[in-house]
Amino acid sequence: MLEVRDLNVSYGPAQAVRGVSFELDRGQTLGVAGESGCGKSTMALSLLRLLPDTAHVTGRVLFEGEDLLTARWARLRAVRWNAASVVFQGAMSALNPVRTVGDQICEPILLHERVSVKAARRRAAELLDAVGVPARRARDYPHEFSGGQRQRIMIAMALACRPDLIVADEPTTALDVMVQAQILRLLGDLVRESGIGVIMISHDLAVLAQMCERLAVMYAGRIVETGPARELIADPRHPYTRALARAFPTIGDPASRLAPEGLPGDPPRIADLGGGCAFAPRCASADAACRTRSVELWPSGRDRAAACLRVLEGEAS
């Protein structure tokens, strides 16, 4: 359904996304993980050309065989909401504060399906019920809902036109653990029942492991490891993935709960990246070759790949 090839996004001399490639089929869930500033959201928004005019995007984004990066604006507008939609990070800022939530859900339905207002409102009521928000509240405004309810409303909007693809950018950020679990269960049910494809972005590996079949870990604008979610977290091949996994305490393990491992240093500034592995300055096992040799994704097991020289040399554990 979706095929991304050599995607690059730059803002002037700073390249925020560098050579990202992946595929997604119907009914599949792909998680994208990494620290803040690694390029996750930039990559996701570039798929539907939602970045500002200052961004320069190259590569190919094939959706149902059609390259969205070269599609005419009229065609792109037809794809947005109707075939592919986005659950934005921060529902309060994404929702219009002066319009009722029912009207906002109805808008893409009326635009793309050209049905009557009555039919659109009926569909909006069904969507609200489906995501656990009482349909009678369709006439309320965003500020009258809790954070978790607003996030559910954003999911209802994303589903309004029955898309084949949903890009969820940090859909559970700032939610308590109970509401987070409900949102994840809702998304999982939608994938199973509707067969939609989901790209889910998060800094939380535990959330992605619960929700997604596959993971792609990003660092400094590149994918540094990919593979089945549970395998990747249980046995990471890239030092960065290993550090992310160890930063989360393990339930029932007092040692990890009392002293979870962190990651020294800070992510690099994109404008300062040079040759070699971008993670080398923070990697305990880096050597001189890591700082000079070009690094790419190499096979690291069945259906897995990692951008690490140790993998290429067969030394990854």
Side-chain angles (χ1 to χ4, degrees):
M1 177 177 64
L2 179 69
E3 183 179 356
V4 178
R5 287 288 172 261
D6 195 27
L7 180 67
N8 297 274
V9 181
S10 59
Y11 298 92
Q15 195 168 3
V17 175
R18 304 183 295 154
V20 166
S21 299
F22 63 87
E23 296 178 356
L24 182 73
D25 292 331
R26 279 186 173 80
Q28 287 190 336
T29 52
L30 172 68
V32 182
E35 293 171 287
S36 295
C38 71
K40 306 184 301 295
S41 294
T42 297
M43 179 275 294
L45 295 178
S46 68
L47 301 180
L48 294 176
R49 287 163 60 183
L50 294 171
L51 295 175
D53 293 338
T54 52
H56 178 64
V57 184
T58 62
R60 305 187 74 190
V61 178
L62 300 176
F63 182 68
E64 304 287 5
E66 180 180 11
D67 192 348
L68 297 183
L69 296 186
T70 59
R72 294 178 178 272
W73 278 109
R75 175 56 185 157
L76 187 62
R77 289 176 63 189
V79 170
R80 291 174 178 173
W81 292 110
N82 191 39
S85 57
V86 180
V87 179
F88 292 99
Q89 182 177 356
M92 192 60 194
S93 58
L95 294 170
N96 189 330
V98 298
R99 298 186 63 195
T100 66
V101 297
D103 284 346
Q104 294 184 64
I105 297 173
C106 286
E107 183 176 5
I109 301 173
L110 293 170
L111 177 65
H112 291 286
E113 298 188 8
R114 301 191 183 281
V115 298
S116 67
V117 173
K118 183 177 180 180
R121 288 177 178 170
R122 185 166 55 249
R123 170 72 174 152
E126 293 171 354
L127 287 166
L128 287 173
D129 278 335
V131 299
V133 177
R136 66 178 182 274
R137 300 202 61 187
R139 295 184 179 181
D140 291 347
Y141 291 86
H143 71 274
E144 298 179 270
F145 294 89
S146 69
Q149 288 173 322
R150 289 195 293 265
Q151 202 66 51
R152 290 168 181 265
I153 292 166
M154 281 296 303
I155 294 174
M157 290 179 63
L159 293 169
C161 296
R162 302 176 180 87
D164 296 317
L165 171 66
I166 289 181
V167 180
D169 187 4
E170 299 276 9
T172 60
T173 297
L175 301 180
D176 63 72
V177 293
M178 296 299 293
V179 176
Q180 174 179 278
Q182 294 169 3
I183 295 294
L184 294 176
R185 186 161 53 247
L186 171 62
L187 287 172
D189 290 343
L190 291 171
V191 172
R192 288 188 294 271
E193 295 171 5
S194 305
I196 61 176
V198 174
I199 298 175
M200 185 169 178
I201 298 167
S202 179
H203 60 276
D204 193 331
L205 283 178
V207 166
L208 295 179
Q210 176 184 346
M211 174 69 192
C212 303
E213 298 175 32
R214 293 185 57 78
L215 280 185
V217 179
M218 289 188 69
Y219 186 79
R222 285 183 172 170
I223 292 178
V224 296
E225 185 166 3
T226 63
R230 295 188 182 277
E231 291 182 24
L232 187 145
I233 292 175
D235 182 23
R237 306 293 168 81
H238 194 282
Y240 178 60
T241 310
R242 192 174 301 122
L244 291 180
R246 290 176 178 174
F248 289 91
T250 302
I251 295 176
D253 181 3
S256 69
R257 179 174 61 84
L258 297 175
E261 297 185 34
L263 184 61
D266 298 311
R269 294 181 68 251
I270 299 298
D272 297 338
L273 291 175
C277 176
F279 187 64
R282 305 173 73 187
C283 182
S285 58
D287 56 24
C290 297
R291 293 175 171 81
T292 57
R293 185 170 176 178
S294 61
V295 181
E296 59 186 75
L297 282 171
W298 289 294
S300 61
R302 183 179 179 182
D303 203 24
R304 298 187 60 178
C308 179
L309 289 178
R310 299 294 176 268
V311 169
L312 184 63
E313 298 165 0
E315 297 177 8
S317 58

